[in-house]
Amino acid sequence: MNYKLYLTILFFLPFSLLGQQKKSKADDLFYAYQYEKAIAEYKSEMAKRSLSNLQLLNLADAYFQTGKFDDASKLYLDVNKNDTIMTVNQFNKLLQSLSKNSERERVKTFLRSKADKLSPELLENAEFNYSLLEIATDNSNTVIEGIGANSAQGDFSPTFYKDGLLFSSSRLQKSKSVYEPSGESYLDIYYGKLGADGELVDVRVFDKIPDSKFHKSTPYYSEKYASFYYILSNTENDELAYDDNGKNALAIGILTDSGKSSFLLKDLSTSFYYPFMDDTTGRLYFAANFDDSYGGTDLYYVYTNNGQIFSAPKNLGPRINSPGNEISPYIHNGSLYFSSDIFYGYGGMDIYKSNMLEGDAFTIPVNLGNGINTVADDFGFIIKEGADNNSLTGYFSSNRNGGKGGDDLYRFSLKNTPGLKTFTLKGKVVNLTNKVGLDKVSIKLLDREGEVLKETFSTVDGDYRIEVPWSSQITVQTSKDGYSQLSTTYSEDGMEDLQNKSFNMGLVKLEDLLTNKEDKTILKLDKFYFDKGKSIMNAQVETELNKVVDAVMHFPSLRMVIENHTDSRGSSAYNKKLSTDRANTIKNYLLQKGVSPNNIVDVVGFGEEKIKNNCTNGAYCLDFLHKQNERTLIVVVDK
């Protein structure tokens, strides 16, 4: 039994009810998963009458399930043109069909045409992973081998337990009935000890979890909570339980080491898959087909306490979940591993990795690459440190060519953490003056050579997020017309620090720094004075000049003229020299603080040439009136 058939369990209807609800023989065959026969019957019915769009989509799905991707894509496209009943999951199958026919460029064109209707996360994930697929994956240090204990039936969903592995299988056994859609046994949980070579020995049915005549699968054991979490068919009085529409779904059960078992998540209309308990946070992760799904099955979590659920399911969001199916969550060293059949993979179900950030945020899920992933279905990935702590080892499931059954268990060992490492920067850009978020700010990431790796723009609230493959050095640059620019470079250590927190940036609007005075555009400064008769720095002068330094740091192309004026007390020659000396003192201070000579166009000491009031030579004036004439202007001549 492969994962696709496993996912269709949620749609399983008793055949008596199917016969009552369906309108044609082809529909009955389709909903009984007899896809080849359904295709033949739909074609026969098409010769007699037109099929409804729903039936055409059923036929397209049947083509898809049987590998006839060219026929599937044509039908999906035809229905998509004429009707809006196509689900987002069928939209993913459409793009998968095109991808499987090596029409990746056509997929990209189709995505661009639908960009206004698709989530930005989906578009970014697709662009990022398409670029990865064009890079040859280095798997020279990865060893992948099939498990000798695999059977001719389906074996999947491995999980570590003590000195061995638990896994799910549809191996035939006397205590289990045959599950009609697969022709194999209802699923059960098995255990095998791990030998020194990573092989499984002494494989047998795992008898600690209560027996069931129906499905029991995908176990996970939590050391911290000393409990097993697993999937089982909904039953009542030891028989399958159906909802009002005749649907039998899957529930999550829990078994503690004390032997107490119970349903943990149960809904007759909703199926749950692949439970994983994160001991660090107390979150129980799983896949499910709730109404808020972004496509097929999505990944969720709930909080638990002493084996009880005490929060509503939380969807992991569009960065992780897609129009496809997401299953088998597994967390290791701050990274979420999961599988998805989203269209931008190698073909079927692929394994992805996403780093977990603060606030339920995730980095772009990256495909683990060729070798671990194939054109077949690859899923159920688990990983841990090797015995020597210098390597990593793990297991996953796949129905790739060369196996024994529908799905088989594979083991791997590798030297480095799988998947491309990425650098993610997120936060908010605000106006430093009023702390309001700024939209349409350009945020660029540059590499060591100054080449732009990626550019994004802040939202209307000033929020931004940008992600690129890891680099040994990153420069962050921001710009917006009329606002200051930022450019900061970080080494790898600095990049690691930035990854795990919000990186908020403040920009200054140039107009907020300027004012008009004496028919000139000048920098907005508080009035300051040199000591009487002196041209040396004092604390008041230094405080205001630091604002000039800050303005130039924000606006490196700013060009200015330094003007100094005195009052009329003293001789004209003395005042001329004093104001020139003061202007030069200002210039020298700015240069010492890092202002470029290119920013200072001219330095002018006017002395008493431009008195602002009647306090000219020989006139009696109070001191505060003389002070009005003593001033420094930083005149902006080029913004």
Side-chain angles (χ1 to χ4, degrees), residues 4 64 67 69-70 93-104 107 341 343 345-349 374-377:
K4 289 176 180 173
F64 184 89
F69 301 115
D70 188 49
K93 289 179 181 177
L94 160 62
L95 298 185
Q96 276 186 293
S97 300
L98 293 174
S99 295
K100 287 174 182 287
N101 288 327
S102 301
E103 298 187 64
R104 190 169 292 162
V107 174
D341 63 0
F343 59 84
Y346 281 94
M349 184 69 74
T374 64
V375 295
D377 298 318

Side-chain angles (χ1 to χ4, degrees), residues 362-377:
F362 296 89
T363 61
I364 292 175
V366 295
N367 193 296
L368 292 195
N370 191 24
I372 289 180
N373 289 318
T374 64
V375 295
D377 298 318

Side-chain angles (χ1 to χ4, degrees), residues 357-358 423-426 445 464 470 474 476 488-504:
L357 306 174
E358 65 176 10
F423 172 69
T424 306
L425 199 66
K426 63 183 182 67
L445 298 183
Y464 75 92
W470 191 266
I474 288 287
V476 184
T488 313
T489 300
Y490 297 92
S491 64
E492 290 194 71
D493 288 343
M495 292 163 61
E496 290 284 6
D497 291 339
L498 291 180
Q499 285 253 95
N500 299 315
K501 56 188 176 186
S502 295
F503 185 65
N504 300 323

Side-chain angles (χ1 to χ4, degrees), residues 195-447:
D197 58 356
E199 275 287 356
L200 286 180
V201 296
D202 192 23
V203 174
R204 62 184 64 187
V205 174
F206 188 64
D207 58 9
K208 286 191 175 183
I209 296 177
D211 194 20
S212 169
K213 294 189 300 183
F214 306 108
H215 288 302
K216 183 177 63 176
S217 65
T218 60
Y220 181 79
Y221 181 73
S222 165
E223 294 281 354
K224 180 177 180 179
Y225 297 101
S227 297
F228 295 93
Y229 301 87
Y230 59 100
I231 297 300
L232 70 164
S233 299
N234 280 321
T235 58
E236 186 174 335
N237 297 324
D238 205 28
E239 295 297 332
L240 290 176
Y242 300 95
D243 70 2
D244 292 340
N245 295 315
K247 181 189 296 183
N248 172 249
L250 298 171
I252 293 180
I254 182 174
L255 171 69
T256 65
D257 276 359
S258 65
K260 180 181 178 182
S261 64
S262 61
F263 284 103
L264 197 60
L265 283 169
K266 180 179 180 179
D267 183 331
L268 291 181
S269 300
T270 301
S271 278
F272 303 91
Y273 309 94
Y274 296 95
F276 171 84
M277 172 57 76
D278 182 10
D279 287 352
T280 303
T281 61
R283 291 175 174 179
L284 177 66
Y285 289 81
F286 57 89
N289 62 314
F290 288 121
D291 290 341
D292 66 349
S293 163
Y294 288 88
T297 58
D298 279 6
L299 298 186
Y300 295 81
Y301 71 78
V302 291
Y303 283 104
T304 63
N305 184 23
N306 294 324
Q308 299 299 314
I309 304 296
F310 72 103
S311 75
K314 167 82 171 176
N315 190 299
L316 266 57
R319 180 61 65 193
I320 298 298
N321 293 315
S322 74
N325 293 292
E326 281 71 45
I327 60 172
S328 59
Y330 187 83
I331 295 172
H332 177 73
N333 281 351
S335 293
L336 171 68
Y337 296 89
F338 66 98
S339 296
S340 174
D341 63 0
I342 186 62
F343 59 84
Y344 48 71
Y346 281 94
M349 184 69 74
D350 279 2
I351 301 166
Y352 292 82
K353 181 186 80 170
S354 175
N355 295 327
M356 305 174 74
L357 306 174
E358 65 176 10
D360 279 350
F362 296 89
T363 61
I364 292 175
V366 295
N367 193 296
L368 292 195
N370 191 24
I372 289 180
N373 289 318
T374 64
V375 295
D377 298 318
D378 307 288
F379 61 103
F381 181 93
I382 60 174
I383 189 171
K384 67 178 182 178
E385 280 70 26
D388 58 2
N389 291 323
N390 292 320
S391 63
L392 293 162
T393 185
Y395 296 81
F396 63 94
S397 314
S398 179
N399 63 353
R400 63 186 62 189
N401 290 333
K404 290 184 179 181
D407 291 315
D408 287 315
L409 301 178
Y410 289 82
R411 69 174 183 270
F412 66 87
S413 61
L414 41 79
K415 294 294 184 184
N416 301 311
T417 302
L420 179 74
K421 186 176 182 179
T422 65
F423 172 69
T424 306
L425 199 66
K426 63 183 182 67
K428 182 184 286 286
V429 188
V430 300
N431 184 326
L432 277 178
T433 303
N434 55 22
K435 309 304 181 185
V436 173
L438 289 175
D439 68 340
K440 298 179 181 178
V441 177
S442 164
I443 299 103
K444 294 179 181 178
L445 298 183
L446 287 68
D447 62 15

Side-chain angles (χ1 to χ4, degrees), residues 91 108-123:
F91 170 77
K108 293 179 181 178
T109 300
F110 194 84
L111 286 176
R112 286 192 289 270
S113 70
K114 302 287 185 180
D116 59 332
K117 297 180 176 65
L118 301 174
S119 74
E121 291 88 353
L122 175 63
L123 295 173

